[in-house]
Amino acid sequence: MNIQEIAKLANVSPATVSRVFSHHPVREEIRRRVLEIARENHYHPRFSTRQRNVVIITPYDAVFPVQSCIDMLMMALAQVLPKREFRLEILPINNLSRLESIQFCGAVTLGVEVSEIADWSRRFSVPLIVVDRHPATQKRGDNVFFVFSDEEQAMELAIDHLYRGNCRKIGCIVHGTPERGNAAIRYAAIEKALKRRALPIDRMIYYAGDSSDKYVELTGKLLQSGADALFCPGGNAGLMALYSFALFNKKTPDDIALIASEQTAFSSFTVPPLTTISPDYRQIAESVADLLDAWLDRREMPRTTKLPYHLIVRESTPVAR
């Protein structure tokens, strides 16, 4: 299959097909027809290796506490992709119509659900790389790929560290709701890790919702249940936990140990410094660049790339035994 054959099937000129694949303006019904024929025939246009513009798609508004993770991912991508000679353009999710009028060889989403771009494979023939979203929770397309961190492994890392530090009533506050992001995967993995060690589960795990409003209330409930450790994956929950402990006159780690998600801006500067779990942001960015290079070179690409978390041990947890 080539451009001339697609043009014949679509009843348009080869130049029009080329304009569609280059994202130049054409009538919408023609664009749809050309892309549909290309998809049905498993045709992907061969981009020039000089055409290395990558669009980073972000949420329209800053979203607490996901924004801090987005910032760290963005920093890693900004360091890695230009070294591979990619040029970056940042595009809020509410301005996707701009994609119809620019040339780009791929797109990367940060903090965006694939459901918000459900028609990607119909509209665009370039890859969409979804970062930090587990593929089990997302709709897929022919040219949609996933680079994500191993949430199950991260939950196991944290629970195991607390357990080896002699913590036996580990409370957990998972940021978010079961319907969005990776919250449900984290909740299930925490349950599994606690059960494996015969630790209490009932009234020891809570969802925090999409804001910080519930952290004080939920921390109080866990303290009433006798929690000797708190694990709170997601966003800036470590700060909220320390604030909550101060309100309840609890010291860390003497009265209660704490593990949170790594925030490079402050995790090592709190009192005490926070033990954290952290995605490998640099490796995430390298994996994104590898996928983009493979697409341009027409090499086989893995649909999913799963990367491990790291545990950064500081003074907010007891020494593991």
Side-chain angles (χ1 to χ4, degrees):
M1 178 64 65
N2 56 39
I3 285 181
Q4 288 73 23
E5 291 171 315
I6 291 175
K8 184 176 180 179
L9 290 172
N11 197 28
V12 296
S13 69
T16 298
V17 174
S18 180
R19 289 178 67 82
V20 170
F21 291 147
S22 298
H23 303 289
H24 289 303
V26 298
R27 292 207 308 273
E28 183 58 30
E29 62 270 21
I30 293 176
R31 181 185 303 278
R32 284 199 299 267
R33 186 162 71 248
V34 168
L35 291 177
E36 183 177 352
I37 291 170
R39 186 168 59 253
E40 288 175 350
N41 289 275
H42 306 288
Y43 177 84
H44 295 289
R46 186 177 181 86
F47 287 92
S48 166
T49 56
R50 293 175 297 176
Q51 210 282 81
R52 298 175 72 85
N53 299 321
V54 178
V55 177
I56 311 296
I57 302 173
T58 66
Y60 175 61
D61 294 313
V63 181
F64 177 88
V66 182
Q67 188 62 40
S68 52
C69 179
I70 292 173
D71 291 343
M72 287 183 282
L73 287 168
M74 183 70 74
M75 185 181 300
L77 290 169
Q79 291 171 347
V80 169
L81 292 185
K83 291 182 179 179
R84 304 275 196 103
E85 298 183 351
F86 290 105
R87 294 176 293 277
L88 307 185
E89 176 170 342
I90 300 172
L91 192 69
I93 186 66
N94 69 322
N95 196 25
L96 286 185
S97 59
R98 174 167 167 72
L99 295 179
E100 304 286 354
S101 59
I102 64 175
Q103 292 186 344
F104 63 106
C105 66
V108 182
T109 66
L110 304 180
V112 173
E113 308 293 331
V114 177
S115 58
E116 299 180 71
I117 324 176
D119 59 347
W120 181 270
S121 293
R122 180 184 63 79
R123 294 175 60 190
F124 305 106
S125 59
V126 299
L128 174 68
I129 302 174
V130 180
V131 173
D132 193 40
R133 285 292 181 270
H134 197 288
T137 66
Q138 307 292 322
K139 293 182 179 179
R140 307 192 191 190
D142 294 338
N143 53 344
V144 178
F145 304 86
F146 294 84
V147 176
F148 61 101
S149 298
D150 191 339
E151 298 295 340
E152 293 91 344
Q153 176 250 358
M155 304 304 104
E156 172 68 23
L157 267 181
I159 298 299
D160 183 64
H161 179 71
L162 292 169
Y163 184 79
R164 289 187 294 110
N166 207 33
C167 298
R168 293 297 181 266
K169 294 200 74 174
I170 302 172
C172 303
I173 303 176
V174 180
H175 170 78
T177 62
E179 297 81 19
R180 289 181 60 83
N182 303 320
I185 294 171
R186 291 175 174 177
Y187 192 106
I190 289 170
E191 272 192 325
K192 185 177 179 180
L194 293 176
K195 185 176 181 180
R196 184 182 296 118
R197 294 164 177 81
L199 298 178
I201 297 174
D202 186 41
R203 290 183 295 181
M204 298 302 290
I205 315 174
Y206 295 97
Y207 286 110
D210 290 327
S211 71
S212 62
D213 298 344
K214 294 184 178 180
Y215 276 96
V216 173
E217 174 190 350
L218 295 177
T219 299
K221 288 183 178 181
L222 290 169
L223 290 172
Q224 288 179 345
S225 297
D228 57 11
L230 175 60
F231 173 41
C232 47
N236 302 330
L239 285 179
M240 293 305 303
L242 289 174
Y243 172 70
S244 302
F245 293 163
L247 293 178
F248 292 109
N249 197 29
K250 297 293 182 180
K251 294 183 179 180
T252 308
D254 297 341
D255 299 321
I256 183 166
L258 175 61
I259 296 181
S261 293
E262 174 69 6
Q263 304 298 331
T264 55
F266 59 75
S267 291
S268 61
F269 303 107
T270 60
V271 180
L274 290 172
T275 293
T276 58
I277 54 169
S278 178
D280 190 336
Y281 293 107
R282 177 80 184 197
Q283 189 54 53
I284 290 172
E286 294 284 1
S287 296
V288 168
D290 288 343
L291 286 170
L292 292 168
D293 275 331
W295 179 271
L296 290 173
D297 294 340
R298 299 179 72 86
R299 289 185 276 114
E300 186 176 351
M301 300 167 64
R303 286 287 171 183
T304 62
T305 302
K306 182 164 67 173
L307 300 168
Y309 271 80
H310 301 299
L311 179 71
I312 304 173
V313 179
R314 301 191 182 100
E315 286 86 343
S316 68
T317 53
V319 176
R321 295 173 176 80

